[in-house]
Amino acid sequence: MELFDPDTWPARPLVMGIVNVTPDSFSDGGRFLDWERAVAHGLDLVREGADLLDVGGESTRPGADPVAPEEELERVLPVIECLAAEAGVPISVDTRRPNVARRALRAGASLVNAVGGLADPSLTNTVLGEGAGVCIVHMQGEPGTMQEAPSYGNVLAEIVEFLRDAASQARDDGIDPDRIWLDPGIGFGKTLDHNLQLLANLDRIAELGYPVLLGASRKRFIGSISGDPVGERVPGSLAALSAVRDLPRAVVRVHDVAATRQFLMVEHAIARREVPTWERPDGSLHRLSRPE
Ligand code: HH2
């Protein structure tokens, strides 16, 4: 699949649109709990320029309660089935559970967004068995308590080491290296200072040789800096994109796809003094369906 072919990576970050199928999501307040509305939202994000969609049924925001496995499956499966059939872009499943990952991959997803990392060997086996890709995310602690007292000796060195070890373990277990993405897990057991150190040094993670995924969209650290509530953090989310500007292969996980695409196109135009096209990894050209 083209998504995992390093040679077809566009000259810009890939944009992963967020489709939350959760009633308690911190940023969109569960507005898309109804699965048909979640599907419609995903299709809107593709029209706005998303290169892939990330579907999640369990909120991992700080303080969130875990969801029963059957409930998580009931939330995500119909949405993934529909989007895999209709969206025309790859789908990832945002989950910590091997069974949810397996069912989602069989329903048409092609990437596991492993927000708890690959500590559970059956998650690795699932990725391997289904020939999927995996994004390995660093998280200190559990969502319910991870923000109580995050602590590191050297946050950057520890997370680079964690991601390096996790990626080489995944390779040793047989996962195709082209199908591994790495993510420092902004806000997942990190203070503001930890997040800023990571954002300023993503090149250290990129040096490991894998695509780097950044999930900063509307997150709490933006509010800690500017004082703005979650519904008013689009400008801060765009500013955070500067953290991936010079990375060879980056993916940005965002709620606001149209704003992100516009930001990245203008940034690209200035850097290269040319008007870019918005080409997807499969070579197809995105065209805005809302002409001026
Ligand atoms: N952040 C969230 C969820 N999934 N996946 C990756 N790879 N990286 C992230 O930083 C990341 C993630 C939390 O953000 P959000 O989806 O907006 O909130 P919630 O999961 O509570 O709906």
PDB file of all heavy atoms in Angstrom, residues 40-70:
ATOM      1  N   ALA A  40     -20.047  10.732   8.482  1.00  0.00           N
ATOM      2  CA  ALA A  40     -20.196  11.975   7.716  1.00  0.00           C
ATOM      3  C   ALA A  40     -19.050  12.935   8.042  1.00  0.00           C
ATOM      4  O   ALA A  40     -18.504  13.609   7.152  1.00  0.00           O
ATOM      5  CB  ALA A  40     -21.543  12.626   8.035  1.00  0.00           C
ATOM      6  N   HIS A  41     -18.677  12.975   9.311  1.00  0.00           N
ATOM      7  CA  HIS A  41     -17.571  13.853   9.713  1.00  0.00           C
ATOM      8  C   HIS A  41     -16.265  13.408   9.033  1.00  0.00           C
ATOM      9  O   HIS A  41     -15.508  14.236   8.516  1.00  0.00           O
ATOM     10  CB  HIS A  41     -17.429  13.815  11.237  1.00  0.00           C
ATOM     11  CG  HIS A  41     -16.352  14.704  11.753  1.00  0.00           C
ATOM     12  ND1 HIS A  41     -16.327  16.067  11.522  1.00  0.00           N
ATOM     13  CD2 HIS A  41     -15.228  14.433  12.477  1.00  0.00           C
ATOM     14  CE1 HIS A  41     -15.245  16.583  12.079  1.00  0.00           C
ATOM     15  NE2 HIS A  41     -14.563  15.617  12.658  1.00  0.00           N
ATOM     16  N   GLY A  42     -16.026  12.076   9.022  1.00  0.00           N
ATOM     17  CA  GLY A  42     -14.818  11.556   8.369  1.00  0.00           C
ATOM     18  C   GLY A  42     -14.798  11.927   6.888  1.00  0.00           C
ATOM     19  O   GLY A  42     -13.759  12.350   6.359  1.00  0.00           O
ATOM     20  N   LEU A  43     -15.944  11.802   6.226  1.00  0.00           N
ATOM     21  CA  LEU A  43     -15.995  12.136   4.788  1.00  0.00           C
ATOM     22  C   LEU A  43     -15.750  13.640   4.577  1.00  0.00           C
ATOM     23  O   LEU A  43     -15.090  14.040   3.616  1.00  0.00           O
ATOM     24  CB  LEU A  43     -17.345  11.708   4.197  1.00  0.00           C
ATOM     25  CG  LEU A  43     -17.599  10.187   4.212  1.00  0.00           C
ATOM     26  CD1 LEU A  43     -19.006   9.874   3.690  1.00  0.00           C
ATOM     27  CD2 LEU A  43     -16.549   9.430   3.390  1.00  0.00           C
ATOM     28  N   ASP A  44     -16.268  14.453   5.501  1.00  0.00           N
ATOM     29  CA  ASP A  44     -15.988  15.901   5.421  1.00  0.00           C
ATOM     30  C   ASP A  44     -14.490  16.171   5.529  1.00  0.00           C
ATOM     31  O   ASP A  44     -13.941  16.994   4.795  1.00  0.00           O
ATOM     32  CB  ASP A  44     -16.685  16.652   6.571  1.00  0.00           C
ATOM     33  CG  ASP A  44     -18.154  16.914   6.274  1.00  0.00           C
ATOM     34  OD1 ASP A  44     -18.555  16.782   5.100  1.00  0.00           O
ATOM     35  OD2 ASP A  44     -18.891  17.247   7.225  1.00  0.00           O
ATOM     36  N   LEU A  45     -13.845  15.462   6.452  1.00  0.00           N
ATOM     37  CA  LEU A  45     -12.402  15.684   6.640  1.00  0.00           C
ATOM     38  C   LEU A  45     -11.624  15.300   5.384  1.00  0.00           C
ATOM     39  O   LEU A  45     -10.639  15.948   5.031  1.00  0.00           O
ATOM     40  CB  LEU A  45     -11.888  14.903   7.856  1.00  0.00           C
ATOM     41  CG  LEU A  45     -12.456  15.309   9.221  1.00  0.00           C
ATOM     42  CD1 LEU A  45     -11.809  14.489  10.340  1.00  0.00           C
ATOM     43  CD2 LEU A  45     -12.261  16.799   9.493  1.00  0.00           C
ATOM     44  N   VAL A  46     -12.083  14.248   4.699  1.00  0.00           N
ATOM     45  CA  VAL A  46     -11.410  13.857   3.445  1.00  0.00           C
ATOM     46  C   VAL A  46     -11.609  14.952   2.395  1.00  0.00           C
ATOM     47  O   VAL A  46     -10.675  15.328   1.680  1.00  0.00           O
ATOM     48  CB  VAL A  46     -11.920  12.495   2.946  1.00  0.00           C
ATOM     49  CG1 VAL A  46     -11.363  12.165   1.566  1.00  0.00           C
ATOM     50  CG2 VAL A  46     -11.528  11.405   3.941  1.00  0.00           C
ATOM     51  N   ARG A  47     -12.827  15.492   2.320  1.00  0.00           N
ATOM     52  CA  ARG A  47     -13.056  16.593   1.361  1.00  0.00           C
ATOM     53  C   ARG A  47     -12.176  17.796   1.690  1.00  0.00           C
ATOM     54  O   ARG A  47     -11.735  18.522   0.811  1.00  0.00           O
ATOM     55  CB  ARG A  47     -14.537  17.011   1.382  1.00  0.00           C
ATOM     56  CG  ARG A  47     -15.393  16.144   0.472  1.00  0.00           C
ATOM     57  CD  ARG A  47     -16.802  16.711   0.332  1.00  0.00           C
ATOM     58  NE  ARG A  47     -17.580  16.491   1.542  1.00  0.00           N
ATOM     59  CZ  ARG A  47     -18.253  15.371   1.798  1.00  0.00           C
ATOM     60  NH1 ARG A  47     -18.272  14.396   0.922  1.00  0.00           N
ATOM     61  NH2 ARG A  47     -18.926  15.231   2.921  1.00  0.00           N
ATOM     62  N   GLU A  48     -11.912  17.997   2.968  1.00  0.00           N
ATOM     63  CA  GLU A  48     -11.071  19.139   3.368  1.00  0.00           C
ATOM     64  C   GLU A  48      -9.587  18.893   3.099  1.00  0.00           C
ATOM     65  O   GLU A  48      -8.783  19.814   3.182  1.00  0.00           O
ATOM     66  CB  GLU A  48     -11.267  19.432   4.868  1.00  0.00           C
ATOM     67  CG  GLU A  48     -12.642  19.981   5.178  1.00  0.00           C
ATOM     68  CD  GLU A  48     -12.871  20.170   6.681  1.00  0.00           C
ATOM     69  OE1 GLU A  48     -11.882  20.133   7.447  1.00  0.00           O
ATOM     70  OE2 GLU A  48     -14.019  20.343   7.076  1.00  0.00           O
ATOM     71  N   GLY A  49      -9.228  17.621   2.804  1.00  0.00           N
ATOM     72  CA  GLY A  49      -7.830  17.359   2.444  1.00  0.00           C
ATOM     73  C   GLY A  49      -7.116  16.314   3.286  1.00  0.00           C
ATOM     74  O   GLY A  49      -5.903  16.150   3.145  1.00  0.00           O
ATOM     75  N   ALA A  50      -7.837  15.595   4.160  1.00  0.00           N
ATOM     76  CA  ALA A  50      -7.162  14.579   4.985  1.00  0.00           C
ATOM     77  C   ALA A  50      -6.591  13.472   4.104  1.00  0.00           C
ATOM     78  O   ALA A  50      -7.228  13.018   3.158  1.00  0.00           O
ATOM     79  CB  ALA A  50      -8.140  13.980   5.994  1.00  0.00           C
ATOM     80  N   ASP A  51      -5.385  13.037   4.441  1.00  0.00           N
ATOM     81  CA  ASP A  51      -4.739  11.942   3.716  1.00  0.00           C
ATOM     82  C   ASP A  51      -5.115  10.594   4.291  1.00  0.00           C
ATOM     83  O   ASP A  51      -5.010   9.570   3.627  1.00  0.00           O
ATOM     84  CB  ASP A  51      -3.211  12.073   3.812  1.00  0.00           C
ATOM     85  CG  ASP A  51      -2.715  13.354   3.183  1.00  0.00           C
ATOM     86  OD1 ASP A  51      -2.908  13.516   1.977  1.00  0.00           O
ATOM     87  OD2 ASP A  51      -2.157  14.194   3.914  1.00  0.00           O
ATOM     88  N   LEU A  52      -5.457  10.573   5.562  1.00  0.00           N
ATOM     89  CA  LEU A  52      -5.921   9.356   6.218  1.00  0.00           C
ATOM     90  C   LEU A  52      -6.775   9.764   7.408  1.00  0.00           C
ATOM     91  O   LEU A  52      -6.770  10.930   7.820  1.00  0.00           O
ATOM     92  CB  LEU A  52      -4.768   8.442   6.638  1.00  0.00           C
ATOM     93  CG  LEU A  52      -3.805   8.857   7.731  1.00  0.00           C
ATOM     94  CD1 LEU A  52      -3.104   7.591   8.277  1.00  0.00           C
ATOM     95  CD2 LEU A  52      -2.734   9.784   7.206  1.00  0.00           C
ATOM     96  N   LEU A  53      -7.551   8.805   7.928  1.00  0.00           N
ATOM     97  CA  LEU A  53      -8.470   9.089   9.046  1.00  0.00           C
ATOM     98  C   LEU A  53      -8.142   8.168  10.208  1.00  0.00           C
ATOM     99  O   LEU A  53      -7.905   6.971  10.018  1.00  0.00           O
ATOM    100  CB  LEU A  53      -9.924   8.848   8.608  1.00  0.00           C
ATOM    101  CG  LEU A  53     -10.472   9.760   7.514  1.00  0.00           C
ATOM    102  CD1 LEU A  53     -11.882   9.291   7.106  1.00  0.00           C
ATOM    103  CD2 LEU A  53     -10.520  11.220   7.969  1.00  0.00           C
ATOM    104  N   ASP A  54      -8.169   8.740  11.414  1.00  0.00           N
ATOM    105  CA  ASP A  54      -7.881   7.978  12.629  1.00  0.00           C
ATOM    106  C   ASP A  54      -9.182   7.841  13.430  1.00  0.00           C
ATOM    107  O   ASP A  54      -9.723   8.839  13.908  1.00  0.00           O
ATOM    108  CB  ASP A  54      -6.832   8.729  13.455  1.00  0.00           C
ATOM    109  CG  ASP A  54      -6.355   7.927  14.648  1.00  0.00           C
ATOM    110  OD1 ASP A  54      -6.158   6.703  14.506  1.00  0.00           O
ATOM    111  OD2 ASP A  54      -6.158   8.524  15.724  1.00  0.00           O
ATOM    112  N   VAL A  55      -9.669   6.604  13.550  1.00  0.00           N
ATOM    113  CA  VAL A  55     -10.950   6.373  14.224  1.00  0.00           C
ATOM    114  C   VAL A  55     -10.682   5.789  15.611  1.00  0.00           C
ATOM    115  O   VAL A  55     -10.005   4.768  15.747  1.00  0.00           O
ATOM    116  CB  VAL A  55     -11.832   5.394  13.409  1.00  0.00           C
ATOM    117  CG1 VAL A  55     -13.159   5.145  14.120  1.00  0.00           C
ATOM    118  CG2 VAL A  55     -12.072   5.944  11.998  1.00  0.00           C
ATOM    119  N   GLY A  56     -11.221   6.438  16.643  1.00  0.00           N
ATOM    120  CA  GLY A  56     -11.003   5.974  18.014  1.00  0.00           C
ATOM    121  C   GLY A  56     -12.298   5.906  18.795  1.00  0.00           C
ATOM    122  O   GLY A  56     -13.172   6.772  18.641  1.00  0.00           O
ATOM    123  N   GLY A  57     -12.440   4.866  19.640  1.00  0.00           N
ATOM    124  CA  GLY A  57     -13.659   4.698  20.430  1.00  0.00           C
ATOM    125  C   GLY A  57     -13.423   4.803  21.929  1.00  0.00           C
ATOM    126  O   GLY A  57     -14.343   4.636  22.718  1.00  0.00           O
ATOM    127  N   GLU A  58     -12.159   5.055  22.321  1.00  0.00           N
ATOM    128  CA  GLU A  58     -11.875   5.221  23.746  1.00  0.00           C
ATOM    129  C   GLU A  58     -11.077   6.499  23.915  1.00  0.00           C
ATOM    130  O   GLU A  58     -10.003   6.639  23.339  1.00  0.00           O
ATOM    131  CB  GLU A  58     -11.050   4.047  24.288  1.00  0.00           C
ATOM    132  CG  GLU A  58     -10.808   4.159  25.782  1.00  0.00           C
ATOM    133  CD  GLU A  58      -9.823   3.120  26.324  1.00  0.00           C
ATOM    134  OE1 GLU A  58      -8.780   2.887  25.697  1.00  0.00           O
ATOM    135  OE2 GLU A  58     -10.104   2.567  27.387  1.00  0.00           O
ATOM    136  N   SER A  59     -11.585   7.418  24.708  1.00  0.00           N
ATOM    137  CA  SER A  59     -10.853   8.656  24.906  1.00  0.00           C
ATOM    138  C   SER A  59      -9.593   8.397  25.723  1.00  0.00           C
ATOM    139  O   SER A  59      -9.634   7.673  26.720  1.00  0.00           O
ATOM    140  CB  SER A  59     -11.717   9.683  25.634  1.00  0.00           C
ATOM    141  OG  SER A  59     -10.935  10.821  25.905  1.00  0.00           O
ATOM    142  N   THR A  60      -8.480   8.984  25.271  1.00  0.00           N
ATOM    143  CA  THR A  60      -7.238   8.857  26.042  1.00  0.00           C
ATOM    144  C   THR A  60      -6.861  10.203  26.635  1.00  0.00           C
ATOM    145  O   THR A  60      -5.726  10.408  27.044  1.00  0.00           O
ATOM    146  CB  THR A  60      -6.096   8.334  25.147  1.00  0.00           C
ATOM    147  OG1 THR A  60      -6.172   8.984  23.879  1.00  0.00           O
ATOM    148  CG2 THR A  60      -6.184   6.845  24.959  1.00  0.00           C
ATOM    149  N   ARG A  61      -7.835  11.118  26.674  1.00  0.00           N
ATOM    150  CA  ARG A  61      -7.510  12.420  27.270  1.00  0.00           C
ATOM    151  C   ARG A  61      -7.194  12.213  28.743  1.00  0.00           C
ATOM    152  O   ARG A  61      -7.686  11.260  29.369  1.00  0.00           O
ATOM    153  CB  ARG A  61      -8.677  13.391  27.092  1.00  0.00           C
ATOM    154  CG  ARG A  61      -9.793  13.168  28.070  1.00  0.00           C
ATOM    155  CD  ARG A  61     -10.969  14.087  27.835  1.00  0.00           C
ATOM    156  NE  ARG A  61     -12.190  13.414  28.212  1.00  0.00           N
ATOM    157  CZ  ARG A  61     -12.620  13.300  29.455  1.00  0.00           C
ATOM    158  NH1 ARG A  61     -11.937  13.800  30.453  1.00  0.00           N
ATOM    159  NH2 ARG A  61     -13.730  12.655  29.709  1.00  0.00           N
ATOM    160  N   PRO A  62      -6.378  13.137  29.330  1.00  0.00           N
ATOM    161  CA  PRO A  62      -6.033  12.993  30.739  1.00  0.00           C
ATOM    162  C   PRO A  62      -7.287  12.897  31.609  1.00  0.00           C
ATOM    163  O   PRO A  62      -8.228  13.673  31.447  1.00  0.00           O
ATOM    164  CB  PRO A  62      -5.248  14.282  31.036  1.00  0.00           C
ATOM    165  CG  PRO A  62      -4.699  14.711  29.713  1.00  0.00           C
ATOM    166  CD  PRO A  62      -5.710  14.282  28.695  1.00  0.00           C
ATOM    167  N   GLY A  63      -7.316  11.900  32.488  1.00  0.00           N
ATOM    168  CA  GLY A  63      -8.444  11.736  33.410  1.00  0.00           C
ATOM    169  C   GLY A  63      -9.593  10.923  32.847  1.00  0.00           C
ATOM    170  O   GLY A  63     -10.585  10.677  33.535  1.00  0.00           O
ATOM    171  N   ALA A  64      -9.485  10.467  31.583  1.00  0.00           N
ATOM    172  CA  ALA A  64     -10.600   9.738  30.967  1.00  0.00           C
ATOM    173  C   ALA A  64     -10.759   8.350  31.579  1.00  0.00           C
ATOM    174  O   ALA A  64      -9.779   7.705  31.943  1.00  0.00           O
ATOM    175  CB  ALA A  64     -10.359   9.609  29.463  1.00  0.00           C
ATOM    176  N   ASP A  65     -12.015   7.888  31.683  1.00  0.00           N
ATOM    177  CA  ASP A  65     -12.282   6.544  32.199  1.00  0.00           C
ATOM    178  C   ASP A  65     -12.139   5.528  31.074  1.00  0.00           C
ATOM    179  O   ASP A  65     -12.480   5.816  29.931  1.00  0.00           O
ATOM    180  CB  ASP A  65     -13.717   6.467  32.746  1.00  0.00           C
ATOM    181  CG  ASP A  65     -13.839   7.290  34.022  1.00  0.00           C
ATOM    182  OD1 ASP A  65     -12.845   7.339  34.776  1.00  0.00           O
ATOM    183  OD2 ASP A  65     -14.906   7.893  34.230  1.00  0.00           O
ATOM    184  N   PRO A  66     -11.659   4.297  31.410  1.00  0.00           N
ATOM    185  CA  PRO A  66     -11.589   3.274  30.368  1.00  0.00           C
ATOM    186  C   PRO A  66     -12.993   2.866  29.899  1.00  0.00           C
ATOM    187  O   PRO A  66     -13.960   3.006  30.634  1.00  0.00           O
ATOM    188  CB  PRO A  66     -10.886   2.097  31.046  1.00  0.00           C
ATOM    189  CG  PRO A  66     -10.553   2.505  32.429  1.00  0.00           C
ATOM    190  CD  PRO A  66     -11.178   3.828  32.716  1.00  0.00           C
ATOM    191  N   VAL A  67     -13.056   2.354  28.671  1.00  0.00           N
ATOM    192  CA  VAL A  67     -14.337   1.926  28.084  1.00  0.00           C
ATOM    193  C   VAL A  67     -14.302   0.399  28.007  1.00  0.00           C
ATOM    194  O   VAL A  67     -13.245  -0.186  27.752  1.00  0.00           O
ATOM    195  CB  VAL A  67     -14.446   2.525  26.660  1.00  0.00           C
ATOM    196  CG1 VAL A  67     -15.631   1.977  25.908  1.00  0.00           C
ATOM    197  CG2 VAL A  67     -14.495   4.028  26.721  1.00  0.00           C
ATOM    198  N   ALA A  68     -15.461  -0.255  28.214  1.00  0.00           N
ATOM    199  CA  ALA A  68     -15.509  -1.723  28.107  1.00  0.00           C
ATOM    200  C   ALA A  68     -15.150  -2.129  26.678  1.00  0.00           C
ATOM    201  O   ALA A  68     -15.523  -1.435  25.723  1.00  0.00           O
ATOM    202  CB  ALA A  68     -16.899  -2.214  28.465  1.00  0.00           C
ATOM    203  N   PRO A  69     -14.445  -3.273  26.519  1.00  0.00           N
ATOM    204  CA  PRO A  69     -14.004  -3.674  25.174  1.00  0.00           C
ATOM    205  C   PRO A  69     -15.159  -3.810  24.180  1.00  0.00           C
ATOM    206  O   PRO A  69     -15.033  -3.391  23.024  1.00  0.00           O
ATOM    207  CB  PRO A  69     -13.338  -5.034  25.409  1.00  0.00           C
ATOM    208  CG  PRO A  69     -13.051  -5.127  26.859  1.00  0.00           C
ATOM    209  CD  PRO A  69     -13.951  -4.172  27.577  1.00  0.00           C
ATOM    210  N   GLU A  70     -16.296  -4.395  24.621  1.00  0.00           N
ATOM    211  CA  GLU A  70     -17.423  -4.578  23.679  1.00  0.00           C
ATOM    212  C   GLU A  70     -17.952  -3.227  23.229  1.00  0.00           C
ATOM    213  O   GLU A  70     -18.322  -3.035  22.073  1.00  0.00           O
ATOM    214  CB  GLU A  70     -18.598  -5.340  24.325  1.00  0.00           C
ATOM    215  CG  GLU A  70     -18.229  -6.592  25.115  1.00  0.00           C
ATOM    216  CD  GLU A  70     -17.615  -6.258  26.471  1.00  0.00           C
ATOM    217  OE1 GLU A  70     -18.269  -5.555  27.247  1.00  0.00           O
ATOM    218  OE2 GLU A  70     -16.471  -6.687  26.734  1.00  0.00           O
TER     219      GLU A  70
END
